[in-house]
């Protein structure tokens, strides 16, 4: 720190009377600056991430034009154009999803959300990829289990976990999507027998746009946004998301969310006053 950046407690000490207020203002400004830095970073990342597939589509289109007398090359370039434009589509969809999520507070108008129905819809969204690669997705949820929050957001979060489990798993393996309840939380666990995550990377996978060495992936598919969306949904619902993983063996992600008081089993009894 140079002289232009006094430590925060010094700023508070020079105004003993209003020290609480000054401290609050300084903390507010620090927070604002941090939010602004995150926003700038996000915009820079988004621009970079969007430019890559757009540039690729353009180059491939030029290549198709140049290869008009070579039908095999045309087919190959066209296939890659489809992959890149699909990636672009997913990226745009996830960026829109993320900004919509950030604008809404799910607990402003909380609803009781049926967990079995969330799992059903989430698994449905990955059914085509799972079937194409012969991956069995098993769901287990006690009937009547409910969480508090926003159904669409919870479904997006679980669907992202299921999509990853399928995406990073070998042909013919299984994925288990199971919900169980504690007193006041519901834990949705998604377990796969996939490629796993190297121990050194686990701390970073929830960051926006972070992807573990894309070279080890089956295809270029992902965007690196899926888990940051899950983390955001967990945080705004007052829950959390955790991961256990062994490289080469598989991973389990658990999403914990607040359980609705009316859920299946009787709600915990209120404290008894004598
Ligand atoms: P992506 O769109 O790349 O899947 P995510 O944010 O969903 O982005 O995940 C970040 C990274 O974490 C992925 O690129 C992948 O390397 C790793 N990852 C996520 N889920 C799994 C999983 N179930 N098995 C192995 N690796 C995973």
């Amino acid at each position: 720190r140079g002289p232009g950046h006094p430590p925060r407690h010094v700023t508070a000490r020079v105004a003993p009377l209003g020290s609480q207020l000054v401290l609050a203002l300084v903390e507010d400004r620090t927070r604002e600056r941090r939010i602004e830095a995150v926003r700038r970073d996000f915009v820079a990342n988004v621009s970079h991430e969007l430019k890559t597939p757009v540039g690729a589509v353009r180059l491939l289109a030029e290549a198709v034009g140049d290869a008009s007398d070579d039908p095999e090359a045309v087919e190959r370039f066209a296939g890659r154009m489809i992959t890149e434009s699909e990636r672009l589509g997913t990226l745009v969809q996830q960026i829109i999803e993320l900004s919509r999520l950030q604008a809404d507070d799910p607990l402003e108008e909380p609803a009781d959300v049926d967990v079995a129905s969330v799992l059903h819809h989430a698994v449905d969204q990955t059914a085509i990829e799972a079937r194409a690669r012969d991956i069995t997705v098993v769901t287990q949820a006690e009937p009547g289990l409910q969480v508090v929050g926003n159904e669409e957001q919870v479904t997006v979060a679980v669907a992202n976990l299921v999509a990853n489990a399928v995406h990073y798993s070998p042909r013919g393996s299984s994925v288990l999507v199971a919900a169980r309840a504690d007193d006041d939380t519901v834990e949705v666990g998604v377990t796969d027998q996939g490629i796993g995550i190297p121990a050194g990377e686990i701390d970073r996978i929830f960051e926006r746009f972070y992807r573990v060495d894309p070279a080890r992936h089956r295809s270029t598919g992902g965007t690196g946004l899926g888990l940051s969306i899950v983390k955001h949904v967990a945080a705004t619902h007052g829950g959390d998301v955790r991961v256990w993983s062994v490289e080469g063996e598989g991973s389990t992600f658990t999403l914990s969310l607040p359980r609705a008081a009316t859920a299946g089993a009787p709600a915990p009894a209120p404290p008894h006053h004598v």
Side-chain angles (χ1 to χ4, degrees):
R1 280 175 206 265
H5 300 280
R8 256 193 275 166
H9 62 272
V10 172
T11 319
R13 234 189 275 144
V14 292
L17 276 180
S19 63
Q20 291 287 52
L21 177 65
V22 173
L23 190 59
L25 284 175
V26 171
E27 273 175 358
D28 236 31
R29 226 167 294 143
T30 312
R31 190 170 163 268
E32 260 168 40
R33 254 186 247 137
R34 208 177 49 229
I35 292 172
E36 176 58 19
V38 168
R39 199 191 59 78
R40 260 200 318 259
D41 249 25
F42 183 59
V43 172
N45 279 336
V46 166
S47 323
H48 172 78
E49 294 290 327
L50 288 175
K51 275 184 193 156
T52 310
V54 168
V57 169
R58 201 207 139 86
L59 286 176
L60 287 162
E62 280 172 14
V64 167
D66 293 343
S68 49
D69 51 354
D70 180 353
E72 251 175 53
V74 168
E75 197 177 320
R76 207 171 53 243
F77 293 143
R80 284 179 50 199
M81 275 171 84
I82 292 175
T83 310
E84 289 296 336
S85 40
E86 278 174 357
R87 187 175 136 66
L88 193 56
T90 312
L91 197 56
V92 169
Q93 185 201 327
Q94 289 195 325
I95 289 168
I96 293 171
E97 223 158 56
L98 198 58
S99 49
R100 266 186 49 211
L101 290 182
Q102 279 168 337
D104 290 350
D105 176 358
L107 299 185
E108 218 165 76
E109 286 180 51
D112 288 354
V113 177
D114 182 64
V115 174
S117 142
V118 164
L119 299 197
H120 175 78
H121 286 119
V123 167
D124 226 31
Q125 291 178 29
T126 315
I128 295 177
E129 185 181 351
R131 207 172 306 133
R133 302 205 3 263
D134 196 21
I135 293 173
T136 311
V137 182
V138 177
T139 47
Q140 284 172 2
E142 278 170 47
L145 216 53
Q146 290 181 318
V147 292
V148 183
N150 175 292
E151 178 160 13
E152 192 189 337
Q153 294 194 14
V154 175
T155 308
V156 164
V158 177
N160 284 356
L161 293 179
V162 177
N164 280 348
V166 169
H167 199 74
Y168 300 114
S169 284
R171 256 193 105 76
S173 62
S174 327
V175 169
L176 173 66
V177 186
R180 63 181 191 85
D182 281 338
D183 282 349
D184 51 8
T185 44
V186 172
E187 209 167 72
V188 178
V190 180
T191 301
D192 64 54
Q193 304 167 320
I195 57 178
I197 299 155
E201 307 267 1
I202 282 223
D203 286 345
R204 302 208 57 193
I205 56 172
F206 292 95
E207 290 172 22
R208 285 175 186 160
F209 297 113
Y210 191 79
R211 308 194 67 211
V212 179
D213 177 18
R216 74 192 190 128
H217 295 161
R218 214 170 32 81
S219 67
T220 53
T223 60
L225 280 178
L227 287 178
S228 63
I229 291 176
V230 179
K231 187 177 160 195
H232 185 84
V233 171
T236 52
H237 278 76
D240 66 27
V241 54
R242 272 172 288 168
V243 55
W244 289 264
S245 187
V246 178
E247 204 177 359
E249 288 184 21
S251 314
T252 295
F253 285 80
T254 62
L255 173 65
S256 299
L257 296 168
R259 185 181 184 186
T262 51
H272 182 68
H273 296 287
V274 192

